[in-house]
Amino acid sequence: YSNNGVRKSLGYSTSEIVDSSAFPIMHPDDAKLWKGKLEDCVAGKIGWSNEDIRWMGKDGLVYHFESTAAPILEDAGELVGFSGVDRDATDRKRMEEELINEKSRSEEYIDSLPGLFYIFDDQSFVKWNREWNRVTGYDDDELAAKYGPDFFQGDDKAHIQERMGK
């Protein structure tokens, strides 16, 4: 059995999915992994949960699903099958990938600035460009533990602390 949502998402008819192996419509890389995992689940009579299984839609596109399944056992404990829930996570996955790409582009822009760039909150630096590392000689872990006044001495440090309300 396959519900309408999965068939609709992937573009297959009931007859193309029911009573057939799932592996031909699974992304080839995931099919290899899942064949072994399914064998382990059958042998151990255990279920599974996975946040990202890729399926190939009838349109040739890759779709991402979250999947959970539990074994169905007869009274004698024999495995009859699995009951599962698959949720189409394609849009969420694509948005996550777009955010990762945007973050990477933003970091590239910030790191390409010729001057010092930084953002700090009430306690520490939150973001800085590579120029800070070059000028100060500190690595990222060291800079994360610093705050604005740490880069000043004497009267200048006192002045900066006063201006920052520290």
Side-chain angles (χ1 to χ4, degrees), residues 126-137:
V126 176
K127 180 72 184 153
W128 53 89
N129 65 353
R130 293 285 159 228
E131 191 67 7
W132 266 97
N133 300 90
R134 189 188 70 72
V135 168
T136 65

Side-chain angles (χ1 to χ4, degrees), residues 79-106:
L79 181 67
V80 178
F82 289 91
S83 174
V85 176
D86 292 312
R87 188 178 88 162
D88 188 345
T90 304
D91 289 340
R92 178 188 55 82
K93 187 72 175 170
R94 287 185 180 142
M95 285 189 289
E96 287 173 357
E97 289 171 3
E98 286 176 23
L99 283 171
I100 289 168
N101 290 337
E102 180 60 33
K103 183 178 186 287
S104 177
R105 274 192 302 276
S106 295

Side-chain angles (χ1 to χ4, degrees), residues 45-58:
K45 301 176 189 172
I46 57 173
W48 70 79
S49 177
N50 192 301
E51 291 185 15
D52 189 16
I53 299 175
R54 295 171 295 173
W55 295 90
M56 301 305 297
K58 196 169 184 175

Side-chain angles (χ1 to χ4, degrees), residues 99-140:
L99 283 171
I100 289 168
N101 290 337
E102 180 60 33
K103 183 178 186 287
S104 177
R105 274 192 302 276
S106 295
E107 288 176 357
E108 287 175 16
Y109 296 149
I110 289 170
D111 283 339
S112 71
L113 295 172
L116 298 174
F117 172 87
Y118 61 92
I119 299 171
F120 58 87
D121 62 15
D122 290 339
Q123 301 300 317
S124 60
F125 284 93
V126 176
K127 180 72 184 153
W128 53 89
N129 65 353
R130 293 285 159 228
E131 191 67 7
W132 266 97
N133 300 90
R134 189 188 70 72
V135 168
T136 65
Y138 292 119
D139 65 28
D140 287 342

